Amino acid sequence: MSDLPGGAVATRPLHFIWILDCSGSMHGQKIQRLNFAISEALPAMKSVAHENPSAQVFVRVLTFSSGARWHVGQPTPLEQFSWRDLTAGGVTDMGKALSMVAEQLRMPPMTDRALPPVLVLVSDGHPTDNFNQGLKALMSEQWGKRAVRIAIGIGADVDDAVLARFVDHPELPVLRADNAPTLTKFIMWASVDVLKSASSPLSRPRGAGSPVSNVPIPNAPQPVTADPADVW
Amino acid sequence: MLSWRVLECSVQGFSHRRPDKATGKATECQDFSGVLAGDDAFGGGVAVSVADGHGSPASYRSAMGARLAVEISHELAEQLLRSKPTTRAERSIAKRSLELEVGRQIAHRWRVTVEKDLKGRPFSDNRLARIEARAGVHERKRVERDPLTAYGTTLVTAVATDSFMAFWHIGDGDIVTVDAQGHVTRPLPSDELAFANATPSLYSSDAAQHFRTRFMAVPAPLALVSTDGLANSFEDEVGFLKFAADIFERIASDGWDSIGGQLEGWLSRLSEGGSKDDIAVGILYRPQEPSPTELVARAQQGQESNRVVGLSRKEAPGQDDQHISHHRYDHRLHGQRGSHGGSF
C-alpha cells in the first residue's frame, strides 16, 4: 500500500475553449489580428496558470465557418499549447460550433470535480445556421450552464443579441471590439484575468440573485480609442 | 464495547501558503474543524464537525463564519448527546427532531451571531473598495446587498454514541461511513446544488431548507467528514472513497494513535498534489467485534477490490436500521432532499 491513503491524486481540470469565427468576412485584417492577439496572450496566460496551480488548464480551439471543426481538438495542457494561425472563408455556422462544444461538456468526458470551463466566443457576424438549436444543446449540459461564457463581437455587423444570449449573464456584457487594439485587449483579458478567476478552487455560495456562472468575473476592460480609419 | 475515538485536523491549502499578490499575505485557512468529547454526561458519545468558509474576496470573514458554524453545531450536538436516546421510541423522537429542527436552529443561531458581529464591525468603504478591486463590481454589489455573504460557510457534522449515529450537512463537503467489512458508503444523498464550485451556504436566508440529515440506529465503526478540498484532491470518486477505506484498514493494522500523528502530513500532501485547497477532516471511530486482527485478515483475503463497490449491509443481528446502499464507482444518490432516515 502506498504511504498516502486513498487513490490517485490530481489537480482539478479547467477546460478553456476558444470558439472562433473563421467565416469569409473575417478574412484579412480581422483574422490576422485575432491570430496575433491570441498568440500574444499566450505567454501571459501560461504565466497566470503557473502562478495559480489550483487548476490544470487544458486548451482547445474550435472554429466555425461553413460547418465547424476542431482546430485543436485534444484537450492540450496549457504549458504545451502553441498557437497555429487560422484562415478565414465560408459562412457562419455558429450553432454547429455550440453543439460540438456541448458534446464535449457532457459527463463523461467531463467529471463533476472539474472547475467551471471557460468558453470564449469570438464572431463578427450573424449565425447562418440553427443557432437556437446549438445554444439549447449547450445549455442543456450542466457544464454548459455553469461555464464562464465570454463573447467578443468584432466590427459593426456582429449580432449582439445572439452573443448576449450565449453569455446570458446579467452583469457581463458582450465585448465589442471595433478596432485591432481593442480586440487584443479583450483577448488578453479573457485569457488572463478571466482564467485567473476561474482557476480558484473556492466554492461560492449559491442563493437568490447569484449569477448563473459561479465564477466572479473581473471588470471587463474599456475599449481602446483608435483612429476612425482603423475601425472595422 | 470499546469507547469512541475522535479526531479532527485542518490544513491550509497549498495555494494559500504563498503570499497573495494583492495583499502580500498568506491567505488564512478558511476551513475549521472541531471535536466534542469527554463529558461524562455524553455517555461516551462524541461529535466532530468541519466547515469550509468560502474565502473569496467578498467572503473575507468566512474563517470566522466557519468557526461559528462548528461551535453552534456542537451546541446542538451536545443537546442530542445529553438526551441519550437509547430506546426505539427515544431514537424515533430524536430522529424527528433532527429532521425538523437542527437545520433551522443552526441557521438561526448562526445568523443571529453573525448579525451581531456585523453590527459591531460594519464594513468600511475601504474594504468594499478592495472587494471591487479584487473581484469586480458585481461582487461588491453582492456584499452590499447581503452582508452576511462575508461570513458564508458550509458545515458537516457527525455525532456518534453506542445507540446511534447522526449527521447533518449543508453545502459541499462529504460524509462517508465504513462498515465492519470495510465497505464505504455515503449515508446522505448528494446535494445537486453543490456543483461546479457552487454551494448552498449558511448565510442564505433559506439555509435551513438546504440541510440534509440522517439518523442511523446502528452506528458504523467509522465515519469521516471532510471539506471539499479532500475529495477534490483525488482523481475520481473511487480514489476519495479509498481514502476512508485505507484509514479504516490502517487503524486496524497500526492502531488508532498512528492516524493522529500522520493525518496532518497526509492532508498537506494531498492539498499540494491535488486540490491546492484548504482541507479539514474529522474522524469518528469505535473498535468493533471481531478484533482488528481479524478485520485485517479479511481485507487481505481479497476484499480490497470490493470495498468501494457493492452492497453495504450491516450484519449484526437485531438491527433496526436496515438501510442498504448500492454503491458504485461513480454513484451519487440523486434527487433526495432533506432528511434521509433509517427505520425504527
Side-chain angles (χ1 to χ4, degrees), chain A residues 10-15 54-58 110-111 113-117 143, chain B residues 232 235:
Chain A
T11 307
R12 294 173 76 182
L14 190 162
H15 293 275
S54 311
Q56 169 67 65
V57 181
F58 295 93
M110 294 285 287
T111 67
R113 69 181 293 274
L115 289 164
W143 279 122
Chain B
N232 284 335
E235 197 172 65

Side-chain angles (χ1 to χ4, degrees), chain A residues 1-12 50-55 107 111-116 142-143 146 171-172 200-211 214 216-219, chain B residues 15-16 18 21 54-56 132 135-139 142 145 172 193 195-201 203-204 228 232-235 239 242-243 246-247 249-250 266 269-270 273-277 332:
Chain A
M1 186 187 301
S2 131
D3 166 57
L4 203 55
V9 174
T11 307
R12 294 173 76 182
H50 179 72
E51 291 170 7
N52 291 274
S54 311
M107 293 203 281
T111 67
D112 60 3
R113 69 181 293 274
L115 289 164
Q142 284 219 64
W143 279 122
R146 291 291 176 186
E171 295 161 344
L172 180 60
S200 167
L202 301 175
S203 292
R204 275 164 46 84
R206 192 176 190 286
S210 291
N214 205 47
I217 307 294
N219 292 335
Chain B
S15 65
H16 300 159
R18 299 176 302 174
K21 281 195 170 176
H54 302 321
S56 64
E132 180 172 347
V137 65
H138 327 297
E139 287 298 283
R142 177 203 274 264
R145 248 188 340 256
D172 57 26
L193 295 179
F195 177 76
N197 274 18
T199 178
S201 173
Y203 98 88
S204 303
D228 68 340
N232 284 335
S233 291
F234 294 101
E235 197 172 65
K242 189 173 183 295
F243 180 84
D246 285 349
I247 293 281
E249 191 171 314
R250 291 193 193 200
W266 289 336
R269 287 165 60 192
L270 285 170
S275 67
K276 310 296 187 291
D277 197 5
R332 286 283 191 268

Side-chain angles (χ1 to χ4, degrees), chain A residues 24-205:
Chain A
S25 56
M26 287 285 290
H27 179 74
Q29 201 190 52
K30 289 179 188 173
I31 201 73
Q32 287 170 14
R33 196 65 188 191
L34 181 60
N35 284 325
F36 172 79
I38 294 178
S39 63
E40 274 292 288
L42 258 188
M45 198 177 174
K46 291 180 179 180
S47 177
V48 87
H50 179 72
E51 291 170 7
N52 291 274
S54 311
Q56 169 67 65
V57 181
F58 295 93
V59 183
R60 278 175 278 187
V61 182
L62 181 68
T63 64
F64 58 94
S65 51
S66 300
R69 61 201 58 80
W70 287 101
H71 184 63
V72 177
Q74 273 299 318
T76 305
L78 176 56
E79 59 271 19
Q80 299 170 20
F81 182 79
S82 58
W83 184 248
R84 191 160 47 89
D85 279 356
L86 303 170
T87 57
V91 294
T92 312
D93 288 347
M94 193 186 295
K96 175 66 176 170
L98 298 188
S99 295
M100 289 175 67
V101 171
E103 286 172 6
Q104 296 303 309
L105 296 185
R106 284 182 197 147
M107 293 203 281
M110 294 285 287
T111 67
D112 60 3
R113 69 181 293 274
L115 289 164
V118 178
L119 310 178
V120 183
L121 172 62
V122 182
S123 177
D124 77 332
H126 295 242
T128 49
D129 65 347
N130 193 336
F131 171 81
N132 290 335
Q133 186 175 353
L135 184 64
K136 186 179 175 187
L138 180 67
M139 300 302 259
S140 297
E141 300 299 334
Q142 284 219 64
W143 279 122
K145 274 191 295 213
R146 291 291 176 186
V148 178
R149 297 183 303 279
I150 306 291
I152 301 173
I154 297 177
D157 296 330
V158 68
D159 189 336
D160 280 327
V162 151
L163 297 186
R165 287 176 58 205
F166 168 78
V167 174
D168 191 27
H169 191 301
E171 295 161 344
L172 180 60
V174 172
L175 304 179
R176 289 298 305 277
D178 292 329
N179 55 63
T182 300
L183 177 61
T184 302
K185 194 174 181 184
F186 287 166
I187 294 289
M188 184 68 75
W189 173 80
S191 338
V192 176
D193 297 338
V194 174
L195 177 63
K196 182 178 178 181
S197 191
S199 299
S200 167
L202 301 175
S203 292
R204 275 164 46 84

Side-chain angles (χ1 to χ4, degrees), chain B residues 179-254:
Chain B
D179 70 13
Q181 286 70 48
H183 290 135
V184 184
T185 306
R186 287 183 176 274
L188 291 179
S190 297
D191 188 341
E192 290 186 332
L193 295 179
F195 177 76
N197 274 18
T199 178
S201 173
L202 255 184
Y203 98 88
S204 303
S205 57
D206 60 349
Q209 298 171 28
H210 291 290
F211 269 81
R212 291 162 286 142
T213 62
R214 176 76 189 270
F215 192 97
M216 291 166 45
V218 178
L222 185 142
L224 183 146
V225 299
S226 57
T227 56
D228 68 340
L230 178 65
N232 284 335
S233 291
F234 294 101
E235 197 172 65
D236 53 29
E237 167 82 346
V238 171
F240 165 63
L241 298 178
K242 189 173 183 295
F243 180 84
D246 285 349
I247 293 281
F248 182 72
E249 191 171 314
R250 291 193 193 200
I251 293 171
S253 61
D254 303 338

